[in-house]
Amino acid sequence: NERWDAALLEPLEHNENLAAIVKSKDLNWSKYPYSALLVLGAGPDKYNQPISPGGILRCRMAARAYQEGLVPFIIVSGGRVHPYKTPYIEAIEMKKYLVEVCNIAADAILIDPHARHTTTNMRNGSRLLLKYGFPKDKMSLVGSSIGHIDAVEKMGNRCVRELGYVPYTLGKRVSDVLLEFLPSESS
């Protein structure tokens, strides 16, 4: 679909995600209530806009959760999806915003530049948590807008239709914009 740029970032564990993976190896996980915060993408409506207002709000929410010590890592998830033929990858632009505007250390941010829908945001975020050795029994958070988190709570059947399985187990709703989840080994 003329979207090769995310593949050019592979292998993520040797490039964009390397510093966070290294940091995770020596982390005292017991200091944090959650393993990570998965931030769902929000593509802009305008062609030359690198990050949407919704993406900015989600990044600020994630930065606040990180700064308050809820999570040691933020995972930003979103590909080159909206608007059609955009030159921007949502995950890359969200990471830039977190580092440059919110002053979050780059080694606290993992990217998923491949997701195109909420189902693949959740699947890919789960895959990264499992692949990079994050604690399997420690909840993570997913964050987005109120309506988007409402949809995540109800999309199990959609995951089965689109992916063939549900890539997570949900926990409790922590706030209007934050929901607990555990990655599924099926991911």
Side-chain angles (χ1 to χ4, degrees):
N1 207 10
E2 300 178 25
R3 292 185 166 108
W4 295 102
D5 46 350
L8 297 174
L9 297 171
E10 290 292 343
L12 290 171
E13 61 271 14
H14 294 268
N15 298 303
E16 286 289 331
N17 290 343
L18 178 61
I21 294 167
V22 169
K23 180 179 176 179
S24 75
K25 299 303 178 198
D26 294 323
L27 189 72
N28 179 358
W29 293 98
S30 66
K31 289 177 50 179
Y32 302 92
Y34 300 100
S35 294
L37 170 54
L38 172 63
V39 182
L40 305 179
D45 293 325
K46 297 176 185 167
Y47 181 74
N48 286 321
Q49 187 178 32
I51 188 169
S52 71
I56 288 170
L57 287 174
R58 294 171 193 189
C59 285
R60 289 180 181 170
M61 172 268 305
R64 184 172 40 252
Y66 175 81
Q67 291 160 342
E68 290 174 355
L70 283 178
V71 295
F73 296 100
I74 298 169
I75 303 170
V76 287
S77 179
R80 190 169 69 110
V81 182
H82 302 290
Y84 181 68
K85 299 274 188 177
T86 181
Y88 300 105
I89 298 173
E90 291 173 51
I92 295 288
E93 298 308 319
M94 288 190 290
K95 181 177 180 177
K96 284 181 191 174
Y97 186 87
L98 284 165
V99 171
E100 296 170 7
V101 177
C102 299
N103 298 312
I104 303 298
D107 67 356
I109 304 168
L110 295 157
I111 69 164
D112 159 34
H114 304 293
R116 297 194 47 172
H117 306 287
T118 308
T119 54
T120 54
N121 290 130
M122 295 299 295
R123 179 199 63 200
N124 297 354
S126 292
R127 284 178 174 174
L128 292 179
L129 291 167
L130 294 167
K131 181 178 184 177
Y132 297 156
F134 282 47
K136 292 179 183 179
D137 58 347
K138 191 175 194 76
M139 286 280 188
S140 287
L141 294 170
V142 57
S144 188
S145 65
I146 294 170
H148 207 179
I149 294 300
D150 289 345
V152 171
E153 283 185 309
K154 299 172 186 152
M155 72 175 200
N157 289 336
R158 178 181 166 196
C159 287
V160 171
R161 277 192 320 276
E162 293 179 12
L163 305 173
Y165 67 100
V166 180
Y168 54 82
T169 301
L170 294 179
K172 69 181 182 221
R173 185 102 174 226
V174 176
S175 74
D176 287 342
V177 296
L178 294 173
L179 176 64
E180 295 177 339
F181 78 98
L182 272 177
S184 166
E185 290 284 339
S186 301
S187 294

